[in-house]
Amino acid sequence: MPDLPTPEDIDEASRALQLGASVAELHGGLCGWLAGGGEDTAAWPARVLADPALPAPAPGSALDGLRRATVAQLGDGEFSFELLLGDDDLPLRQRAQALFDWCRSFLGGFGLAAGAQPPLSEEGAEALQDLARLAGASVQEIDEDDEDESALSELEEFVRVAVLLLHGDCVLGPRHRRSLN
């Protein structure tokens, strides 16, 4: 399975294409697009950022690698999916903001791909609502202590599982139903 590119490589590639999005926003939007049933395409930034004028990343570039690794992780039955939020050495508030930005971008990509009435299970609908609450969260209420560090880790794990659930509802479930027919 391909590895996710480093946040530094993605940031550099994003700046080179003048995408105006952070690492967390790019990965969140891409994951939302794919989890909502969006097409796996080399021109994903144009789709995910809803700007048809954006160029496709070069084959083998960090942004192309991000797409390939994310597609592989979402399709992996071993639950290897990871969130790419940026540098792990940042202060807690900045990492929390990256998670909230990731969730906000995920919702945008998911909405673009899945439309107004995605085929969600009850659990999927609840997960989507919870992601929306995280997307609107504020870092002002976060302290730099071990308790909040632990809470952030739990939120990241929740988001990871929620994405897999939504991907299952919108992509794997319909694919499985088609293969049965």
Side-chain angles (χ1 to χ4, degrees):
M1 175 173 312
D3 291 329
L4 287 169
T6 67
E8 296 80 19
D9 289 344
I10 294 168
D11 187 50
E12 184 180 318
S14 174
R15 282 194 314 262
L17 291 180
Q18 299 179 341
L19 298 181
S22 71
V23 170
E25 291 168 329
L26 286 170
H27 191 243
L30 174 61
C31 291
W33 172 261
L34 294 169
E39 175 188 11
D40 173 14
T41 176
W44 69 268
R47 304 281 176 86
V48 170
L49 299 174
D51 183 352
L54 291 175
S61 70
L63 293 174
D64 184 55
L66 178 63
R67 176 189 56 83
R68 285 185 289 105
T70 302
V71 167
Q73 286 183 356
L74 286 172
D76 178 32
E78 301 298 315
F79 303 105
S80 64
F81 174 69
E82 304 174 45
L83 302 180
L84 189 59
L85 301 172
D87 189 353
D88 290 336
D89 295 332
L90 292 173
L92 181 64
R93 283 183 188 222
Q94 288 178 329
R95 288 183 287 129
Q97 187 61 57
L99 178 63
F100 302 154
D101 292 345
W102 194 100
C103 290
R104 199 168 18 265
S105 293
F106 176 88
L107 293 174
F110 187 83
L112 286 169
Q117 298 294 322
L120 298 179
S121 63
E122 185 176 325
E123 295 85 5
E126 288 177 25
L128 192 60
Q129 290 173 350
D130 289 340
L131 289 174
R133 281 192 273 286
L134 284 173
S138 169
V139 295
Q140 275 68 27
E141 300 167 11
I142 295 175
D143 296 321
E144 299 282 335
D145 61 22
D146 289 342
E147 188 175 307
D148 281 343
E149 186 74 46
S150 177
L152 181 61
S153 292
E154 289 177 22
L155 284 175
E156 288 175 9
E157 180 62 14
F158 169 78
V159 169
R160 192 182 77 77
V161 171
V163 169
L164 292 171
L165 175 63
L166 292 166
H167 182 260
D169 281 358
C170 294
V171 176
L172 299 179
R175 187 181 301 158
H176 179 70
R177 284 189 293 278
R178 279 192 305 271
S179 71
L180 292 175
N181 292 331

